[in-house]
Amino acid sequence: MSFFANLRFDGALVSDIGTKREKNQDYGLCLPEEGLFVVADGMGGHQGGEIASKICVETLHQVLADSAKDGEPASETLIVALRTANRAIYEKSLQDPSLKGMGTTLTALQVRGQHATILQVGDSRAYFWNRSGIWQITRDHSYVQEKIRAGLIHRDQEKTDEMRNFITRSVGYELDVSGDLFGMAIEDGGRVPSLLGRALGSSG
């Protein structure tokens, strides 16, 4: 069964190390033929973030590929994949003391038919745009965004706030993690949401 009838995908994956890091800890997938697009931004030590993001994305992809034949709802398979990836990262950190505390953000988009499901953990982001404009779909799991939602600071203060680089959820940092799910229909003339990593998608 094809999930992509009557849809045409164009995709690209671009990563930039930025000006603050010595190593790029981003990892991603752009698989239009599978309707899967993922971005992860690692954190934790000299190599921990790089390892965490790679484990996260590769585990997520493997779980989704294995479950594709079962016809399970995208939301359910994404949650199973998230939990599997989270445990894999956490257990890896227990095996190697130098990797203790590693984790990663995760924003994943899965398209089936004309419906897109987005999974979000951390402060990477997904946006949607069409001829009318651009909108942020996901909500950051960060201390700054919590302060904005609580009315403690204004949005124009987020780039200078002392907590701007701290996130409240990540994949692999703890034994359990919960993710946010977003669903949307893909209309004619619209575009599949764009996934942006932390350096591009937030104040970090």
Side-chain angles (χ1 to χ4, degrees):
M1 178 176 63
S2 172
F3 295 135
F4 319 119
N6 303 318
L7 286 179
R8 176 179 175 272
F9 290 107
D10 290 312
L13 183 65
V14 179
S15 180
D16 189 328
I17 193 172
T19 59
K20 296 182 179 180
R21 291 180 174 176
E22 295 181 358
K23 296 184 67 176
N24 193 336
Q25 297 182 327
D26 299 337
Y27 202 84
L29 283 179
C30 179
L31 300 173
E33 68 279 8
E34 298 182 27
L36 181 64
F37 308 86
V38 187
V39 62
D41 183 4
M43 62 175 204
H46 182 64
Q47 62 176 346
E50 180 182 11
I51 293 173
S53 60
K54 186 174 189 291
I55 292 174
C56 180
V57 173
E58 292 185 348
T59 303
L60 186 91
H61 181 217
Q62 186 61 57
V63 173
L64 294 178
D66 290 343
S67 63
K69 301 175 184 179
D70 299 334
E72 294 290 334
S75 57
E76 294 184 12
T77 57
L78 281 168
I79 290 298
V80 171
L82 169 62
R83 290 172 177 165
T84 305
N86 186 79
R87 184 173 290 274
I89 296 169
Y90 184 78
E91 291 179 349
K92 180 69 173 179
S93 71
L94 295 180
Q95 297 167 7
D96 185 344
S98 69
L99 302 177
K100 183 178 180 180
M102 71 176 177
T104 182
T105 69
L106 171 65
T107 305
L109 164 69
Q110 188 172 44
V111 180
R112 291 184 176 182
Q114 289 187 283
H115 187 81
T117 304
I118 298 165
L119 172 67
Q120 168 78 8
V121 179
D123 64 352
S124 297
R125 293 178 176 176
Y127 293 84
F128 178 80
W129 79 91
N130 59 18
R131 298 181 183 91
S132 301
I134 184 169
W135 300 269
Q136 181 180 336
I137 300 170
T138 54
R139 297 178 61 179
D140 294 356
H141 299 138
S142 69
Y143 285 108
V144 165
Q145 290 303 310
E146 293 292 343
K147 291 168 76 171
I148 291 173
R149 287 192 281 268
L152 299 177
I153 63 172
H154 297 291
R155 186 165 294 279
D156 58 4
Q157 296 174 282
E158 65 175 320
K159 291 186 178 181
T160 58
D161 191 276
E162 61 182 7
M163 302 295 287
R164 64 186 179 277
N165 293 323
F166 292 88
I167 58 177
T168 57
R169 282 191 227 175
S170 65
V171 185
Y173 183 73
E174 297 180 304
L175 182 58
D176 297 305
V177 67
S178 60
D180 294 342
L181 288 170
F182 304 85
M184 62 183 299
I186 303 173
E187 299 177 356
D188 292 339
R191 294 181 181 270
V192 171
S194 171
L195 308 187
L196 295 183
R198 188 168 177 232
L200 294 176
S202 74
S203 59

